[in-house]
Amino acid sequence: MYNSPFPPWTPQLVQDEIDALKHEPGALLPILHAIQDRFGHIPREAVPLIAESLQLTRAEVHGVISFYHHFRTSPPGRHVVQICRAEACQARGARALESHARETLGIDYHQTTADREITLEPVYCLGNCACGPSLRVDDRILARVTPERFDRLVDELTTQVLKVS
Amino acid sequence: MTTRLFVPRETTALALGADEVAERIEAEAEARGVEVELVRNGSRGLFWLEPLVEVETPAGRIAYGPVAPEDVAGLLDAGLLEGSATSPLCQGPTEEIPYLQAQQRLTFSRIGVTDPLSLEDYCAHDGFRGLRRALGLDSQAIIDEVKASGLRGRGGAAFPTGIKWQTVLDAPAAQKYIVCNADEGDSGTFADRLVMECDPYLLIEGMAIAGLAVGATQGYVYLRSEYPLAQEIFNEAIARAEAAGYLGGDILGSGQAFHLEVRLGAGAYICGEETSLLESLEGKRGMVRFKPPLPAIEGLFGQPTVVNNVLSLAAVPFILGDGGQAYADYGMGRSRGTLALQLAGNVQRGGLVELAFGTTLRQLMEEFGGGTFTGRPLRAVQVGGPLGAYLPESQWDLPLDYEAFAEVGAVLGHGGVVMFDDTVDMAEQARFAMEFCTVESCGKCTPCRIGSVRGVEVIDRIRAGERREANLALLADLCETMVDGSLCAMGGMTPFPVQSVMKHFPDDLQRDAQPR
Ligand SMILES: Cc1cc2nc3c(=O)[nH]c(=O)nc-3n(C[C@H](O)[C@H](O)[C@H](O)COP(=O)(O)O)c2cc1C
Ligand code: SF4
Ligand code: FES
């Protein structure tokens, strides 16, 4: 069975995150990060709570969430895999890696595999530009990722899950 | 007897397996009953040798690399702990590796040498000398030192740092801010990350000095969310520096205050632009502000604010410690001091190269880089990130100097050098430049927001062979409109790579796109 790595959110838990940070100057981004770090995404229902607490309109809060590529409003899969699409990685074969990844996972960017194991996202540079193609799995960064290495990684990620469940 | 070994803890070294190497060393040492002390140092920035393991011997530190976990047992058998040179992985004394020896490391003198989080180590290697000196000077004297250094901002625009600080000092206000731009969005750049991961107290020291110089008591580091390890290490460094009195309400008992906090970006390239960055720090969409007012007059929360790149601030401790003149003695023309070059992309020996301004690109790519990683001929080099021009071979003898680059329509930017071999399709690179702008435009002005979308479409038509000449003329027009009509350099410079392809690699635009 699929286990989410994140606990389910409740209005109270979301409010706790907001209350911990709302007095900071420019608190909105830190609050959004805190919510996403904890629950894996920013639930739509969090928007009115944030708006109320920071005395902003809902439209303003929504406008900020949608502006930044990092924030997502629906839960991701168990692992988030980001592939670097930027020039230094392109020069070392990132384009081939991208198409391989999309083909083998059967999804496009910003989508999650049917078994909810992997969410695929593009990223523009991980600062590992001398040893690309680069990839980030959750908080781990990998260097010189070939299509073969990508397949092994996906295997590893999915077999680990079997052990846990 | 305990032997000290160094295994880096830095993003690229870790991405290449440094943790696994460290674990293997500990396990092997235990199995053999030898005592080792593992130091997790920063990286020297010699990435083709990572993971680079060093051992401390009476003759200095000896380097081995690149070390894979399965090499560890063999290395120990071959006398790793004594610094034996019998293994082919042995690179000899670290400091004598030519790539390192040929550099002029002022800002990066400590990276890879020390344990990044050890305050003792930092102090033992000249750390906080600049801050201690600054504490004995008045604001104007600190700024005069920075002016004398000739330091120009390393984030891209190359504006003189001393003049920026002077503006903030002269702006009367109850609260001022130091904002460090650690958004490092350019592809091919990682020097900011290296500072934060491998020598974090350097940036802390630089920011504290900036605070003293302009009378700011609060600093923010705006760090991109793509750098999780930098965030972890830097936050720990702030906590330790505060506990030891280098930050906080009373810096080293001087009665002066400087507080520092890291704020995380959220994956938007435009937030590297300083006014977008300030909007983002205030909790808004990262939309570019009209200038004037300059951030130095009305910046964060409407207050006078210094916005500087990581490397600009990281150059300051040397400048205060050794004097502005010592820094200005390096360089050429109006480009003073050293430049942190980052060799990336299709390169044999990628990494960080700190050199005085004035070396040529070719020297850098050949003597340091050793040519391409694939061994094929080098064809194009993009310098200065995604908004920088692609340079053909005829331009590789340009000296690395802000003015020399500007003269040919190129930029040095943040010092990223991205190499491409002859398999590159330059039409595809031109298309990507426009595509990147469609993804990252803040949307405030039409030439950038709509122009980049049109740009992708026109290039697609050109690559499909549809009315090629007419569409090439249209693309040239569109580029001009974007350059002239955009509010900031995102839309204003996106045409640079495109125009460079049209000018220097026209054949690629005459060929039909290869099906992939
Ligand atoms: C689209 C765009 C992106 C930028 N990205 C960065 C960046 O990632 N880091 C940075 O330091 N400066 C960046 N800049 C330059 C900043 O706007 C600003 O000039 C710089 O932070 C000033 O610091 P400095 O004087 O120390 O260079 C960018 C500018 C533009 C127009
Ligand atoms: S040029 Fe682009 S990024 Fe810059 S202000 Fe205009 S729309 Fe925004
Ligand atoms: S370009 Fe891919 S990590 Fe920098």
Side-chain angles (χ1 to χ4, degrees):
Chain A
M1 205 196 100
Y2 167 71
N3 296 310
S4 168
F6 299 102
W9 69 275
T10 67
Q12 187 54 52
L13 291 175
V14 166
Q15 191 64 48
D16 291 347
E17 296 294 341
I18 298 170
D19 291 344
L21 291 164
K22 69 178 179 198
H23 303 291
E24 298 278 332
L28 183 51
L29 253 66
I31 286 173
L32 295 176
H33 272 295
I35 294 173
Q36 180 157 310
D37 285 352
R38 179 142 176 208
F39 307 109
H41 71 294
I42 298 162
R44 200 173 310 132
E45 295 83 346
V47 172
L49 301 177
I50 300 169
E52 174 87 2
S53 306
L54 296 184
Q55 294 182 319
L56 296 168
T57 66
R58 294 178 188 198
E60 281 169 320
V61 176
H62 173 76
V64 170
I65 295 171
S66 59
F67 183 85
Y68 295 95
H69 303 307
H70 178 82
F71 297 130
R72 60 175 89 83
T73 47
S74 53
R78 165 178 293 276
H79 298 287
V80 176
V81 172
Q82 295 183 319
I83 302 184
C84 177
R85 295 197 63 205
E87 290 89 343
C89 284
Q90 289 167 14
R92 299 176 68 111
R95 286 208 177 89
L97 177 66
E98 284 183 72
S99 17
H100 176 83
R102 282 145 69 170
E103 225 163 83
T104 53
L105 295 177
I107 51 172
D108 207 336
Y109 287 124
H110 308 293
Q111 296 180 348
T112 301
T113 51
D115 58 8
R116 303 211 47 86
E117 285 298 328
I118 291 174
T119 297
L120 192 66
E121 289 178 356
V123 67
Y124 296 89
C125 194
L126 294 164
N128 183 50
C129 327
C131 301
S134 310
L135 186 142
R136 176 170 170 182
V137 194
D138 306 324
D139 270 355
R140 196 152 53 101
I141 287 156
L142 303 180
R144 297 188 194 127
V145 182
T146 57
E148 298 71 45
R149 178 122 193 262
F150 181 85
D151 292 343
R152 281 206 304 278
L153 172 78
V154 171
D155 270 357
E156 266 172 48
L157 292 178
T158 42
T159 40
Q160 267 169 5
V161 172
L162 285 180
K163 277 188 240 150
V164 197
S165 54
Chain B
M1 202 193 74
T2 308
T3 310
R4 277 193 356 141
L5 288 169
F6 298 80
V7 182
R9 178 166 176 258
E10 170 275 340
T11 295
T12 293
L14 293 181
L16 292 166
D19 270 346
E20 291 74 15
V21 170
E23 276 166 31
R24 193 67 75 92
I25 291 175
E26 277 178 332
E28 281 287 334
E30 197 178 306
R32 289 161 194 241
V34 289
E35 279 191 47
V36 297
E37 181 195 343
L38 264 195
V39 180
R40 300 307 301 268
N41 58 335
S43 170
R44 305 260 187 174
L46 277 51
F47 289 144
W48 81 99
L49 292 176
E50 290 291 1
L52 181 84
V53 175
E54 291 176 79
V55 59
E56 196 170 71
T57 74
R61 276 157 72 162
I62 310 292
Y64 299 82
V67 178
E70 50 276 18
D71 295 328
V72 169
L75 275 172
L76 283 164
D77 292 340
L80 168 74
L81 298 183
E82 293 76 47
S84 151
T86 52
S87 162
L89 294 179
C90 182
Q91 304 291 331
T94 318
E95 307 283 345
E96 288 169 28
I97 298 175
Y99 195 95
L100 199 54
Q101 209 175 26
Q103 298 190 33
Q104 289 153 306
R105 286 197 169 179
L106 308 183
T107 299
F108 288 91
S109 61
R110 243 180 325 254
I111 70 153
V113 176
T114 54
D115 169 351
L117 285 169
S118 162
L119 276 163
E120 263 177 41
D121 227 3
Y122 185 69
C123 292
H125 289 83
D126 278 352
F128 294 120
R129 219 155 49 93
L131 178 63
R132 287 183 198 280
R133 167 129 187 273
L135 284 168
L137 298 174
D138 67 12
S139 291
Q140 190 59 54
I142 299 174
I143 292 179
D144 288 343
E145 204 68 87
V146 173
K147 283 183 184 164
S149 75
L151 175 68
R152 291 162 75 184
R154 301 292 189 240
F159 187 80
T161 302
I163 293 178
K164 187 183 283 186
W165 290 17
Q166 187 75 57
T167 310
V168 177
L169 174 64
D170 294 344
Q175 179 68 57
K176 298 176 184 179
Y177 296 102
I178 308 295
V179 171
C180 172
N181 189 341
D183 202 54
E184 190 156 78
D186 289 0
S187 157
T189 64
F190 39 78
D192 294 353
R193 177 178 68 66
L194 283 175
V195 168
M196 296 184 72
E197 290 178 358
C198 306
D199 201 11
Y201 298 121
L202 176 67
L203 178 57
I204 291 174
E205 182 178 355
M207 289 186 74
I209 294 171
L212 296 173
V214 303
T217 53
Q218 176 69 46
Y220 291 98
V221 174
Y222 186 87
L223 174 66
R224 69 200 313 251
S225 55
E226 289 87 343
Y227 285 179
L229 184 66
Q231 183 196 11
E232 184 190 327
I233 293 181
F234 197 73
N235 269 325
E236 176 65 25
I238 289 180
R240 293 194 193 187
E242 233 168 60
Y246 295 102
L247 283 175
D250 180 18
I251 305 172
L252 293 176
S254 65
Q256 311 238 47
F258 191 68
H259 303 274
L260 191 52
E261 196 186 314
V262 174
R263 286 291 176 90
L264 221 50
Y269 180 78
I270 194 58
C271 288
E273 195 282 334
E274 56 184 3
T275 61
S276 296
L277 186 155
L278 294 174
E279 291 286 300
S280 184
L281 266 179
E282 290 180 6
K284 302 178 199 148
R285 296 158 67 93
M287 302 283 277
V288 174
R289 293 178 186 170
F290 288 97
K291 287 194 272 194
L294 293 171
I297 308 285
E298 257 177 63
L300 187 62
F301 305 116
Q303 302 304 309
T305 302
V306 167
V307 184
N308 268 141
N309 174 250
V310 173
L311 298 180
S312 315
L313 292 161
V316 168
F318 176 90
I319 291 167
L320 265 291
D322 287 46
Q325 190 57 46
Y327 191 77
D329 285 344
Y330 293 84
M332 73 175 274
R334 295 203 297 119
S335 302
R336 309 311 313 171
T338 56
L339 178 63
L341 292 148
Q342 297 131 85
L343 272 175
N346 198 327
V347 57
Q348 179 75 248
R349 297 195 295 259
L352 177 93
V353 181
E354 182 177 353
L355 285 173
F357 285 89
T359 327
T360 70
L361 204 49
R362 193 189 296 275
Q363 268 173 304
L364 181 72
M365 296 189 298
E366 288 176 1
E367 289 167 29
F368 287 89
T372 63
F373 176 72
T374 46
R376 300 183 62 96
L378 184 65
R379 179 148 186 252
V381 190
Q382 187 177 32
V383 183
L387 311 178
Y390 285 95
L391 309 182
E393 173 152 21
S394 61
Q395 294 180 338
W396 299 344
D397 293 305
L398 276 178
L400 295 156
D401 160 79
Y402 292 121
E403 276 69 37
F405 266 60
E407 234 164 73
V408 301
V411 291
L412 275 182
H414 189 53
V417 175
V418 177
M419 295 162 53
F420 292 81
D421 74 10
D422 64 350
T423 60
V424 65
D425 175 350
M426 296 307 292
E428 193 155 28
Q429 298 311 120
R431 184 188 193 277
F432 181 79
M434 286 290 185
E435 187 190 353
F436 185 67
C437 188
T438 67
V439 179
E440 299 295 342
S441 166
C442 89
K444 189 157 183 156
C445 52
T446 326
C448 169
R449 188 183 68 241
I450 309 287
S452 55
V453 177
R454 293 287 170 268
V456 173
E457 295 167 356
V458 178
I459 295 174
D460 280 345
R461 288 202 293 270
I462 294 169
R463 298 179 75 207
E466 228 176 276
R467 299 177 56 238
R468 195 168 261 149
E469 291 315 310
N471 276 310
L472 277 167
L474 188 61
L475 182 59
D477 244 23
L478 180 68
C479 283
E480 265 179 54
T481 307
M482 287 177 73
V483 171
D484 296 337
S486 297
L487 176 62
C488 86
M490 180 79 218
M493 286 171 61
T494 286
F496 288 10
V498 182
Q499 289 168 323
S500 68
V501 170
M502 294 175 78
K503 184 166 175 196
H504 301 294
F505 305 94
D507 292 354
D508 291 28
L509 289 163
Q510 295 294 338
R511 245 196 326 261
D512 289 353
Q514 300 296 313
R516 285 195 176 252

